[in-house]
Amino acid sequence: MTSLEIARDIFWVGVVDWNIRDFHGYFTRRGTTYNAYLLRDERNVLVDTVKHTFADELEKNISEIVDLDELDYIILNHLEMDHSSALPRIVEKAKNAKVIVSPRGKNAFIRHYGEGIDVETVKTGDKLKTGRRTLMFIEAPMLHWPDSMFTYVAEDAILMPNDAFGQHLASSKRFDDEVDGAILIEEAAKYYANILMPLWKPIARKIEEVVAMEIPIKMIAPSHGVIWRSDPMKIVSAYRRWSEGESKEKVVIVYDSMWGSTTLMARAIAEGVSSQGLEVKFFKIRESDMTEIVTEILEAKAVVVGSPTINTSMFPSVGSFLTYVGGLKPVGKIWAFFGSYGWGGGAVKQMVEVAKKAGFDVYERSMEVQYVPTRRELEECFGFGREIAQKAK
Ligand code: FEO
């Protein structure tokens, strides 16, 4: 896509990655963008680069506005390679540009790109005068890397918070009011759930800190997806809600099954939950994507996980799910477990242990049946679902 002026002399010069479906394991079903921004002024500034495979396109987009040797500064809001790995290519031609990172970014820069490129550091409150404009820096450690920072364009009230408030959403459009609002918030929630959820404490603190600064914000221009301009505080409010663990009357049932017994149990539990008026989301792990499952968990009150026992252990796909979600540490959920076994159990006990180790609030009772559940046992599963629903209300 070609560059676009988003405010006077401020340009989006990023790229659209329409075809990516696996972003380090995150299922990017709608692709993504790597956003970079160019400020044209007495001193020209590039904020972030793109993934190295798109360096040619970034170079072309910059060149539509200024020559690369007219770049004075390249700011890297964090070092993750989807935003920094085109830098070595860009600095080959941008010979007059100084690279700017946060203090924590210096070591990260050297670890990625060696010591052959000079970098300067900026800290919270530092300002860079570019002519008509003033850029201000706000360090944002663990949003989501240790070196993350925000760049704020004071005169235009544009916040460039890098990954925060982003969405993996490829589009020919650049603004929130130009795309489907439901899809946009779904992708923003998915991004939060799968990338930022374990960092809810620093996120909550940073939101309060930025709000307390009372800086006007007309646009939030993240490093993925579209720019929030119609009501930028809408996504800030959503982040506040998510970081506080606000949930809906919803229960997510996640399971896997070998010969269908755990599926039968899962269905009966789902009916029990549903009988209490709560929404149910239902996933067989091998038929689903964990990125989507975790997105549903974000606003759920309870998660019920089922596994058959195989060789005294939980099913591998369930183990993989619990490892992933255990790292993301969703807050404020009830976790319950069920499963089936043949000649010896073990899966339920193991799931409970893993969940407790992850710090989850594990429901006091589990369900486990041998071979195929009887009608009576399925009624018990229904009751188990009803019980969890009542607890979750
Ligand atoms: Fe989009 Fe943390 O990189």
Side-chain angles (χ1 to χ4, degrees):
M1 300 299 294
T2 189
S3 59
L4 180 78
E5 191 167 21
I6 61 167
R8 189 166 157 244
D9 282 332
I10 301 180
F11 301 84
W12 176 89
V13 288
V15 299
V16 181
D17 191 348
W18 296 97
N19 294 320
I20 189 169
R21 292 293 177 271
D22 181 346
F23 184 99
H24 61 41
Y26 180 132
F27 175 43
T28 42
R29 64 188 284 234
R30 295 189 172 102
T32 194
T33 70
Y34 311 109
N35 297 338
Y37 301 97
L38 177 65
L39 287 74
R40 184 170 60 190
D41 206 335
E42 288 166 29
R43 289 171 184 273
N44 300 311
V45 181
L46 178 67
V47 180
D48 287 323
T49 72
V50 298
K51 194 172 166 182
H52 65 98
T53 44
F54 294 90
D56 285 347
E57 203 173 328
L58 173 65
E59 193 180 324
K60 176 190 82 62
N61 286 350
I62 296 169
S63 304
E64 288 170 4
I65 300 147
V66 297
D67 289 336
L68 264 76
D69 62 6
E70 293 178 302
L71 281 179
D72 295 286
Y73 296 101
I74 302 173
I75 296 165
L76 295 179
N77 274 332
H78 86 313
L79 261 294
E80 194 164 10
M81 286 182 271
D82 50 335
H83 309 293
S84 72
S85 58
L87 181 90
R89 274 280 311 281
I90 297 299
V91 293
E92 278 175 22
K93 293 185 181 168
K95 295 199 180 301
N96 302 311
K98 290 192 175 98
V99 177
I100 293 178
V101 298
S102 72
R104 291 177 180 85
K106 186 150 188 179
N107 178 53
F109 187 92
I110 291 167
R111 297 294 305 179
H112 282 80
Y113 303 112
E115 303 199 40
I117 302 170
D118 281 341
V119 289
E120 293 184 5
T121 61
V122 288
K123 57 186 187 312
T124 295
D126 283 354
K127 291 182 177 149
L128 176 66
K129 197 85 186 136
T130 61
R132 296 187 306 281
R133 289 200 169 78
T134 316
L135 306 188
M136 187 176 81
F137 303 99
I138 304 166
E139 289 169 77
M142 301 318 297
L143 254 88
H144 68 122
W145 270 29
D147 61 311
S148 293
M149 69 173 178
F150 300 168
T151 298
Y152 176 69
V153 189
E155 290 73 10
D156 302 85
I158 300 176
L159 184 68
M160 296 175 178
N162 203 246
D163 282 331
F165 310 118
Q167 337 89 43
H168 283 313
L169 179 61
S171 174
S172 58
K173 301 295 185 183
R174 300 278 74 85
F175 293 102
D176 58 343
D177 47 278
E178 298 175 320
V179 298
D180 183 307
I183 289 174
L184 175 59
I185 202 70
E186 178 192 328
E187 292 299 336
K190 193 183 295 175
Y191 194 90
Y192 178 92
N194 286 276
I195 304 277
L196 299 168
M197 188 152 60
L199 306 165
W200 62 272
K201 279 186 188 166
I203 290 168
R205 278 198 300 270
K206 188 55 60 179
I207 287 174
E208 296 320 318
E209 183 189 318
V210 173
V211 168
M213 290 167 85
E214 295 186 344
I215 51 174
I217 296 176
K218 284 191 195 157
M219 273 189 216
I220 294 179
S223 56
H224 295 289
V226 296
I227 297 164
W228 304 90
R229 73 171 174 191
S230 64
D231 175 11
M233 295 322 279
K234 183 178 169 187
I235 188 63
V236 176
S237 301
Y239 265 51
R240 194 180 253 149
R241 284 200 313 278
W242 294 329
S243 68
E244 286 168 355
E246 193 176 293
S247 52
K248 297 176 179 166
E249 295 220 320
K250 177 166 90 170
V251 174
V252 179
I253 295 173
V254 189
Y255 73 99
D256 219 321
S257 190
M258 294 167 72
W259 290 105
S261 293
T262 312
T263 301
L264 290 172
M265 295 177 77
R267 284 190 192 142
I269 292 167
E271 283 167 20
V273 171
S274 185
S275 72
Q276 299 306 296
L278 275 75
E279 184 186 2
V280 173
K281 293 285 179 174
F282 193 86
F283 296 99
K284 183 177 177 187
I285 298 174
R286 278 178 297 159
E287 310 295 334
S288 312
D289 186 87
M290 285 200 222
T291 312
E292 308 276 355
I293 299 173
V294 165
T295 308
E296 293 296 343
I297 289 174
L298 174 63
E299 293 186 333
K301 287 229 165 122
V303 187
V304 192
V305 186
S307 175
T309 292
I310 179 167
N311 303 324
T312 73
S313 299
M314 60 181 148
F315 204 66
S317 62
V318 180
S320 176
F321 165 71
L322 286 177
T323 300
Y324 183 53
V325 80
L328 291 169
K329 300 200 183 308
V331 289
K333 322 287 175 202
I334 299 163
W335 290 79
F337 297 91
F338 66 98
S340 62
Y341 63 94
W343 52 98
V348 169
K349 183 167 173 277
Q350 192 185 22
M351 288 191 291
V352 167
E353 283 169 3
V354 169
K356 284 186 175 167
K357 203 170 166 191
F360 291 169
D361 177 12
V362 176
Y363 187 57
E364 61 204 27
R365 201 162 80 80
S366 304
M367 286 264 336
E368 196 166 26
V369 306
Q370 189 178 27
Y371 292 120
V372 179
T374 62
R375 181 188 289 264
R376 191 161 151 261
E377 284 167 334
L378 288 175
E379 283 168 9
E380 281 177 35
C381 287
F382 181 93
F384 185 60
R386 193 173 50 202
E387 208 176 292
I388 291 162
Q390 283 165 355
K391 181 92 179 163
K393 270 189 174 179

